[in-house]
Amino acid sequence: MGVSLTGCVSSENLQKNQYLLFSQTVRGNRTLPSSDFEALIPQKPNRRILRLPITPALWFYRLGSRTYDQEAAQRALEAKRKEYDQFTEKPDSTKSYRKQERRYNRQLTRLRRRAEEGNWVMRSLGEPPAFFVETEAKENAQKMQRFLFNNGFFLGKASYSVDSNKTLGRRVRVTYNIVENVAFHLNQITYQIDDPRVDSIVRPTLKRSVLKSGERYNAEKIENERIRIEELLRNNGYYSFTRQYIPLPLNVDSSRTLSTDSAFRNLNLWLRIANPPGQSQHPVYTIGEVEVRVARAEDRSSLDTVQYRGLKFLLGKQNYAIRLLDSRIFLRPDSLYRLKNYQESQRQLFLLNQFRFANISFTDTTNRRLRTRFNLVPIDKYELSSEGGVFVLYQGQGYPGPFGTASFRVHNIFGGLGTFETALRYGFEAQTGFSLNSSGIGFAQELGVNTSLIFPHILFPGKARFIFSQLNPRTQVSLGYNYTSRPDYGRRLLRTALSYNWLKNNTHQYNFTVAEINYLKATIKPGEDGLAFLNYLNTQDSLGSTIRKSFLSAFSSSIGFTYTYNTNILGQNRRANFLRLSFESGGTTLNFFSNQQLESFFNTTATSGLQYYKYLRGNVDFRHYIPLRPKTTMAFRFNTGLVFGYGANKTAPYEKLFFAGGSNSIRAWLPRRLGLGSSIPYTSDTDILVPEFNPKRPGQFRYDFEQPGDILIEASAELRTHLFHLGGDINGAVFIDAGNVWTLRDNGSRLGENFQVRKSPSEYLSRNFVQQIAVGTGVGLRIDFSFFIIRLDGAIKVYDPARYFIYDPDRNGYVVEGKRPGEFIDERYFLPKFRFDKMFKGPNPLVINFGIGYPF
């Protein structure tokens, strides 16, 4: 295959003196990293496999070009353009005209791509040949020499050499040779400022300057210092000041002759801030009249004028809360012009989510006063949206099914700049029953209705609601109902909440849930599946587990606080961090009453009435992203949490417990099926050291039940890289996951499920929680359509702490050679059990996870 791919590529269609670019290397640099020089080279060799001369993408491009006629593609494009021009000569506003216009635009876009980039094979699977061009190599070397100069290597040299030996054929290797020579460092930094008032503003801030004596000369830092001074002055009334008044090149003086007899050179730097031509000082501006126009284009003929706190509001047909709008405007009449007030006003108005445009313009009038005009164009009052797709409710037990979501929004409700939103979601999937003995197919379905009112301020009596205006505060009052139905059980949840949200800036977010109240109605379904599930709950209850209480009707309330720090921007491959800290206290107000009073009020018994909960819950989620190459990233995640139930039932609501396994967790296990600890996931009797195996998959444990825990520890590392483009960007990933969940208390239900820091004296439990960490690994595929990402991950188990059990070959025919009944089987290092010929049927099957977006 390699010969056929490279043979035709190296010689076919290559003209005389035409060579393919095989590789590019930067050598000789010692201080500056090679990646900085490589970033200056726009030309890239064709992609190869394992650095071998095998270029499949180039081969596909050649294959597609055999049937591609560029002249015909250009003629088709020109014909369609003429047809479109004739169509647009007689425009109208009918729906059919707009539909036909959109069709023409799609056709023109498709034909233009074909004419410019080739046919589908060439565009999607192929890659154009990368030819070596002598003039481009010269330009690259010149850019590298300028880069050396801009980084303090004034005597640096950059050149290139070309290798085209016989083994390469019609290919060349290009080597860029770097000679850095001595580096020049800043000695004295002198600021020459012509305007005394500007001098009094700039000089006290020099400690914040990015230019430091003793550091190597760096042109980028000098530019950053110019930007810093520009922003400083524009925040002190200098509306017309630009960095052009800090001229380049700066006055640079070497304290020694520019020679190469030393590895270190000092230089003095003079940075001048000049006055405008013909003037003795820079003008200072203040804000004059401020006019705020809030109207659509069709409303501008009849506007109502309202004066409020020195601002003039021109309003269209809709009413708006003038006081709220005023609290988001920081440009005030007679105040000094400040750039940060302009930026913050625009940002705050945009974050209201009420305006399509929020433009601010200035007009310089007499006496250096800026007449300020805000032009706010409201978005539509009513908004209806919908989406649909395929989802999986319970992976591993069902088959993907459809879902649909419809949302309705009302903007500027009651004229208070608030938003009313209601969303309806429904989805279902075919699902095998809880009991593996069941041959029927049931349906798992989910129905949700959520309604919320969002106010752009802190909903609180008095003037306090306007104190946090610069933090983009929001109050959300929500009411929701969710219904989940499975073949074995059903759950109905009614939820209402009041929460405050605010932003310190784009990276710091805060959420304070003042109150959240939930009412849960749970039922066990009749039939074989429901009976099997009920038997499991009763067995666990008799062993001391609290899971049975999670499937009784319940009432819960809580307050909570969440802080999020996020510097990761989707689509930008750069070093970033994500941290979420959350704390929640459930049933806090119930502490004012005794358990007897609460049980009487809620009519609580072991099997009826309403369960109530008192608990504390904390969670820490940290992620770190490291770019390795322009389209390659290393991502890490550490996630841990603890929930402590201190009420009479010693637990928390089911939704507040922790789970491991699934597409956003340990992907080698089915969703919510990992754990607890080293305990066996399922057994049908009290001999809990003997597991039940899947009768349809010999050697696989039965993972019928979700495994809720009180303690969660999980970590992941994932290498992400770009593969090719096919409709969207196709990205790949290699990952390893580790973690587990445990119970906080030893309730005696199963051996190995509780969290232990120290080793247990028991032979079976002679390991701490570190030795109970499960490990999985796998590969993934991501289809990136920019607006959403479809993700498929395939993972297998590497280390399974539960695979240490008593051997019993009579259970579903799982036979281990050389072992007798009653002996312990140690299969915790489980990776060797994976076999490609039994990828899904073997003891260690490939677990496929489907998801939307990245796992972390």
Side-chain angles (χ1 to χ4, degrees):
M1 182 66 175
V3 175
S4 64
L5 288 178
T6 58
C8 68
V9 170
S10 61
S11 57
E12 184 179 2
N13 297 330
L14 290 181
Q15 300 174 4
K16 184 178 180 181
N17 297 327
Q18 192 176 54
Y19 293 85
L20 290 172
L21 183 60
F22 184 72
S23 67
Q24 300 176 124
T25 308
V26 177
R27 292 179 180 174
N29 52 304
R30 296 182 178 181
T31 304
L32 300 176
S34 297
S35 59
D36 289 347
F37 290 100
E38 292 168 355
L40 301 173
I41 307 175
Q43 303 82 21
K44 303 299 178 185
N46 292 112
R47 288 173 292 173
R48 294 178 286 151
I49 295 179
L50 299 176
R51 304 184 68 85
L52 297 173
I54 303 176
T55 54
L58 183 53
W59 183 84
F60 276 113
Y61 186 88
R62 294 293 196 193
L63 180 66
S65 64
R66 293 177 181 178
T67 58
Y68 173 64
D69 188 340
Q70 186 176 21
E71 294 182 358
Q74 190 66 38
R75 287 195 300 270
L77 175 61
E78 293 300 327
K80 185 60 66 174
R81 282 175 177 169
K82 291 180 181 179
E83 185 179 336
Y84 177 71
D85 292 341
Q86 294 175 357
F87 171 77
T88 56
E89 288 177 356
K90 299 179 180 179
D92 60 51
S93 58
T94 62
K95 185 177 180 180
S96 60
Y97 179 88
R98 294 195 300 271
K99 183 178 179 180
Q100 182 65 24
E101 187 178 30
R102 289 193 297 269
R103 183 182 295 112
Y104 271 120
N105 288 328
R106 289 194 300 268
Q107 292 173 345
L108 285 170
T109 300
R110 185 169 60 251
L111 290 173
R112 188 180 300 111
R113 287 188 61 192
R114 182 177 177 86
E116 295 174 357
E117 303 175 24
N119 56 31
W120 181 86
V121 175
M122 298 167 67
R123 295 193 312 268
S124 301
L125 303 179
E127 184 180 64
F131 295 114
F132 168 71
V133 181
E134 187 86 16
T135 56
E136 293 177 349
K138 289 181 180 179
E139 291 175 0
N140 294 336
Q142 292 171 359
K143 286 189 289 184
M144 292 178 184
Q145 185 146 344
R146 287 195 298 269
F147 181 75
L148 286 167
F149 185 93
N150 290 335
N151 281 273
F153 296 94
F154 296 158
L155 305 177
K157 300 293 182 182
S159 60
Y160 72 94
S161 59
V162 180
D163 180 12
S164 58
N165 57 49
K166 293 182 179 180
T167 59
L168 292 172
R170 299 295 296 275
R171 305 182 184 87
V172 298
R173 288 192 179 100
V174 181
T175 301
Y176 292 94
N177 303 295
I178 307 298
V179 180
E180 292 175 342
N181 284 325
V182 296
F184 286 78
H185 292 70
L186 299 179
N187 182 31
Q188 293 182 351
I189 305 172
T190 304
Y191 286 77
Q192 297 177 335
I193 306 175
D194 298 344
D195 187 335
R197 190 174 186 275
V198 171
D199 184 89
S200 67
I201 295 173
V202 173
R203 205 163 293 279
T205 69
L206 294 184
K207 292 182 180 180
R208 301 199 299 267
S209 172
V210 296
L211 300 177
K212 304 295 181 184
S213 179
E215 292 187 351
R216 192 178 72 243
Y217 175 91
N218 187 296
E220 184 178 354
K221 286 188 175 182
I222 292 176
E223 181 62 20
N224 290 338
E225 176 66 359
R226 297 174 73 217
I227 294 173
R228 186 189 72 84
I229 294 174
E230 179 186 61
E231 292 182 353
L232 173 67
L233 294 176
R234 296 193 73 180
N235 279 318
N236 282 274
Y238 293 92
Y239 166 75
S240 60
F241 186 89
T242 69
R243 72 195 75 165
Q244 305 304 320
Y245 291 110
I246 310 174
L248 287 176
L250 303 180
N251 191 354
V252 178
D253 177 36
S254 168
S255 61
R256 295 186 183 182
T257 304
L258 299 183
S259 62
T260 59
D261 59 355
S262 173
F264 191 88
R265 287 288 178 272
N266 287 330
L267 57 85
N268 298 326
L269 176 69
W270 282 267
L271 189 147
R272 183 189 176 205
I273 303 179
N275 286 334
Q279 299 185 33
S280 60
Q281 61 183 7
H282 286 272
V284 178
Y285 291 81
T286 57
I287 301 298
E289 178 190 20
V290 179
E291 178 183 287
V292 183
R293 179 173 304 205
V294 190
R296 296 183 176 87
E298 59 268 22
D299 298 336
R300 293 182 180 179
S301 58
S302 58
L303 299 177
D304 294 331
T305 303
V306 178
Q307 296 284 345
Y308 184 80
R309 293 186 63 214
L311 271 62
K312 181 181 179 181
F313 290 88
L314 302 176
L315 305 178
K317 294 181 180 180
Q318 292 189 40
N319 293 322
Y320 291 90
I322 300 299
R323 191 173 181 180
L324 277 173
L325 278 176
D326 175 78
S327 68
R328 303 300 175 94
I329 296 175
F330 306 103
L331 295 166
R332 316 302 300 188
D334 301 322
S335 66
L336 202 63
Y337 168 83
R338 300 186 190 276
L339 175 65
K340 62 182 180 181
N341 289 341
Y342 161 77
Q343 293 172 336
E344 188 62 18
S345 297
Q346 194 168 48
R347 173 177 171 269
Q348 290 289 344
L349 291 169
F350 174 76
L351 289 175
L352 286 172
N353 293 325
Q354 299 293 330
F355 304 110
R356 184 177 291 108
F357 302 108
N359 297 327
I360 307 175
S361 61
F362 299 98
T363 303
D364 184 6
T365 60
T366 57
N367 298 322
R368 305 300 184 188
R369 291 174 62 84
L370 298 174
R371 185 170 62 194
T372 307
R373 289 187 174 179
F374 289 76
N375 184 26
L376 310 180
V377 180
I379 59 179
D380 294 336
K381 177 77 172 179
Y382 304 102
E383 181 182 354
L384 181 65
S385 61
S386 62
E387 64 175 352
V390 176
F391 80 140
V392 179
L393 277 175
Y394 306 100
Q395 291 181 358
Q397 289 183 301
Y399 307 93
F403 78 90
T405 300
S407 300
F408 175 70
R409 295 182 184 89
V410 182
H411 297 286
N412 191 36
I413 190 169
F414 308 132
L417 296 174
T419 301
F420 170 81
E421 180 177 350
T422 183
L424 174 66
R425 174 185 173 91
Y426 176 74
F428 67 89
E429 68 174 19
Q431 183 185 23
T432 57
F434 174 83
S435 171
L436 289 181
N437 297 323
S438 174
S439 59
I441 298 293
F443 284 95
Q445 54 184 332
E446 184 179 86
L447 172 67
V449 181
N450 292 284
T451 302
S452 61
L453 271 171
I454 302 173
F455 302 95
H457 56 85
I458 298 296
L459 196 62
F460 199 81
K463 297 182 179 181
R465 59 179 177 159
F466 299 105
I467 295 177
F468 304 99
S469 294
Q470 288 187 314
L471 299 178
N472 189 37
R474 292 180 183 276
T475 300
Q476 182 170 350
V477 182
S478 58
L479 176 66
Y481 172 79
N482 187 266
Y483 170 70
T484 301
S485 176
R486 290 178 34 148
D488 36 22
Y489 67 83
R491 293 170 71 86
R492 297 174 175 86
L493 178 65
L494 182 66
R495 176 185 179 273
T496 184
L498 170 65
S499 62
Y500 297 148
N501 302 273
W502 66 94
L503 303 173
K504 182 179 179 180
N505 50 46
N506 290 335
T507 59
H508 299 269
Q509 302 180 29
Y510 304 85
N511 175 270
F512 175 47
T513 301
V514 180
E516 178 182 328
I517 300 174
N518 296 277
Y519 171 73
L520 172 69
K521 178 69 174 178
T523 57
I524 305 299
K525 295 289 187 69
E528 184 178 359
D529 297 320
L531 180 61
F533 185 58
L534 181 60
N535 290 336
Y536 169 78
L537 295 178
N538 291 334
T539 300
Q540 295 301 306
D541 186 61
S542 65
L543 296 172
S545 173
T546 60
I547 189 173
R548 179 71 177 90
K549 296 180 175 61
S550 298
F551 289 88
L552 298 175
S553 298
F555 167 86
S556 66
S557 61
S558 66
I559 60 174
F561 180 80
T562 300
Y563 163 72
T564 303
Y565 171 78
N566 185 14
T567 60
N568 184 39
I569 301 176
L570 189 64
Q572 293 187 8
N573 186 20
R574 60 186 183 89
R575 186 179 290 268
N577 293 306
F578 174 93
L579 174 66
R580 178 183 288 124
L581 305 174
S582 63
F583 176 78
E584 184 176 342
S585 176
T588 309
T589 56
L590 300 182
N591 291 311
F592 293 105
F593 307 94
S594 66
N595 288 335
Q596 291 79 8
Q597 290 174 316
L598 293 172
E599 289 175 0
S600 175
F601 179 78
F602 290 113
N603 195 25
T604 304
T605 68
T607 58
S608 64
L610 285 179
Q611 298 293 311
Y612 61 91
Y613 298 94
K614 301 178 184 179
Y615 64 93
L616 300 173
R617 187 182 192 272
N619 183 229
V620 178
D621 187 356
F622 175 73
R623 308 166 193 179
H624 183 57
Y625 306 92
I626 302 175
L628 302 180
R629 298 182 65 183
K631 293 186 178 182
T632 302
T633 304
M634 195 73 192
F636 301 91
R637 183 193 191 195
F638 177 75
N639 184 31
T640 184
L642 169 68
V643 59
F644 173 67
Y646 63 91
N649 49 22
K650 304 299 181 183
T651 188
Y654 194 72
E655 289 75 16
K656 302 299 182 181
L657 300 176
F658 292 103
F659 300 86
S663 62
N664 295 316
S665 182
I666 317 300
R667 284 163 278 188
W669 274 261
L670 296 173
R672 299 187 167 206
R673 298 303 195 272
L674 173 58
L676 300 163
S678 60
S679 63
I680 295 170
Y682 177 77
T683 181
S684 59
D685 54 34
T686 58
D687 186 0
I688 56 177
L689 298 182
V690 180
E692 284 285 330
F693 291 93
N694 187 334
K696 300 178 181 179
R697 298 285 188 267
Q700 296 182 19
F701 279 175
R702 285 185 61 174
Y703 289 97
D704 296 341
F705 304 101
E706 295 178 352
Q707 306 293 338
D710 303 320
I711 297 176
L712 167 71
I713 298 176
E714 62 181 8
S716 296
E718 184 170 286
L719 177 65
R720 303 167 180 170
T721 188
H722 178 74
L723 299 178
F724 54 89
H725 186 85
L726 183 61
D729 286 330
I730 309 300
N731 302 320
V734 179
F735 58 84
I736 183 170
D737 305 321
N740 212 326
V741 288
W742 297 263
T743 57
L744 186 61
R745 300 181 178 90
D746 185 3
N747 53 36
S749 60
R750 290 185 294 173
L751 291 176
E753 71 174 14
N754 64 301
F755 186 83
Q756 291 182 322
V757 177
R758 297 180 179 180
K759 293 183 179 181
S760 168
S762 168
E763 177 183 359
Y764 176 70
L765 297 174
S766 60
R767 51 190 181 275
N768 57 19
F769 77 95
V770 176
Q771 295 165 301
Q772 295 176 334
I773 297 291
V775 181
T777 187
V779 296
L781 193 68
R782 291 90 169 89
I783 306 174
D784 189 349
F785 294 104
S786 297
F787 49 94
F788 74 95
I789 296 171
I790 298 176
R791 172 166 52 91
L792 290 173
D793 289 323
I796 57 176
K797 301 174 180 64
V798 175
Y799 181 85
D800 186 352
R803 301 290 299 203
Y804 185 65
F805 55 92
I806 294 177
Y807 181 47
D808 184 357
D810 293 333
R811 297 195 177 220
N812 300 317
Y814 183 58
V815 178
V816 180
E817 295 183 3
K819 293 293 183 180
R820 293 178 297 178
E823 289 189 53
F824 270 97
I825 299 293
D826 188 351
E827 296 178 338
R828 285 173 290 184
Y829 179 58
F830 208 45
L831 184 60
K833 292 291 183 180
F834 174 74
R835 293 175 53 181
F836 283 99
D837 59 339
K838 294 185 178 181
M839 187 175 295
F840 298 102
K841 298 181 179 180
N844 189 2
L846 181 69
V847 177
I848 302 297
N849 288 280
F850 171 83
I852 300 296
Y854 285 103
F856 56 89

